[in-house]
């Protein structure tokens, strides 16, 4: 490929660069396009890697605390077994919207991550060692 020289003291705009490149042989232009496409693909991947890392952090460490979840499960279990006081029922009712909101957000993060990684949500969950929430039977 022929060399294209750029002098740091000379400012070339896009049209100047394009005009200079248009004088190259077609084979050199094809090679240049191939290499530019590789650069473009690499640059596209960087943000998705950053986004994937961000999503993993949100999935694993976002949302309500472990204490919140433990209390929610305790109250929910009591409710299913019909051994819950009115005060506990009110507390559970107040906690449910927060838990539901986090469940939706987490699922959205899992879905986005599955698209970035081009695998199913189930595979993402396996890869991140995430277990589905327990089923509580009455």
């Amino acid at each position: 490929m022929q060399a294209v020289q750029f002098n740091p003291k000379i400012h070339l705009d896009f049209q100047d660069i394009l005009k200079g490149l248009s004088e190259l042989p077609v084979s050199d232009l094809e090679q240049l396009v191939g290499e530019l496409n590789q650069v473009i693909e690499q640059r596209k991947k960087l943000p998705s890697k950053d986004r994937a890392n961000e999503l993993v952090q949100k999935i694993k460490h976002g949302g309500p605390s472990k204490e919140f979840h433990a209390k929610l499960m305790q109250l929910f279990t009591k409710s299913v077994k019909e051994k819950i006081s009115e005060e506990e029922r009110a507390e559970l009712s107040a906690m449910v919207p927060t838990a539901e909101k986090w469940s939706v957000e987490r699922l959205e993060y899992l879905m986005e991550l599955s698209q970035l990684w081009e695998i199913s949500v189930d595979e993402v969950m396996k890869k991140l060692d995430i277990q589905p929430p327990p089923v509580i039977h009455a």
Side-chain angles (χ1 to χ4, degrees), residues 4-47:
V4 179
Q5 294 185 354
F6 291 98
N7 183 332
K9 296 179 183 179
I10 299 173
H11 175 71
L12 296 175
D13 67 15
F14 181 76
Q15 291 303 319
D16 291 336
I17 294 169
L18 192 56
K19 183 179 177 190
L21 291 173
S22 69
E23 297 173 12
L24 292 174
V26 171
S27 61
D28 287 354
L29 287 171
E30 289 172 337
Q31 182 180 349
L32 175 66
V33 168
E35 290 179 24
L36 283 173
N37 282 333
Q38 288 177 349
V39 169
I40 290 167
E41 288 306 311
Q42 287 298 337
R43 294 192 73 195
K44 283 182 180 178
K45 287 180 182 177
L46 290 178

Side-chain angles (χ1 to χ4, degrees), residues 45-58:
K45 287 180 182 177
L46 290 178
S48 67
K49 279 186 181 178
D50 292 343
R51 180 63 179 156
N53 290 337
E54 179 185 344
L55 290 168
V56 168
Q57 289 305 309
K58 286 181 176 183

Side-chain angles (χ1 to χ4, degrees), residues 63-87:
S65 68
K66 289 182 182 183
E67 294 80 15
F68 176 93
H69 286 289
K71 183 68 172 178
L72 180 70
M73 293 309 296
Q74 175 193 18
L75 293 173
F76 187 68
T77 301
K78 282 185 167 187
S79 177
V80 168
K81 293 181 179 180
E82 298 180 6
K83 295 182 179 183
I84 189 169
S85 70
E86 285 305 313
E87 183 179 302

Side-chain angles (χ1 to χ4, degrees), residues 10 12 18-19 59 62 82 100 104 110 115 119 126 130:
I10 299 173
L12 296 175
L18 192 56
K19 183 179 177 190
I59 290 165
E82 298 180 6
E100 288 176 342
V104 170
L110 287 165
Q115 289 174 343
I119 60 177
K126 286 177 188 170
I130 295 172

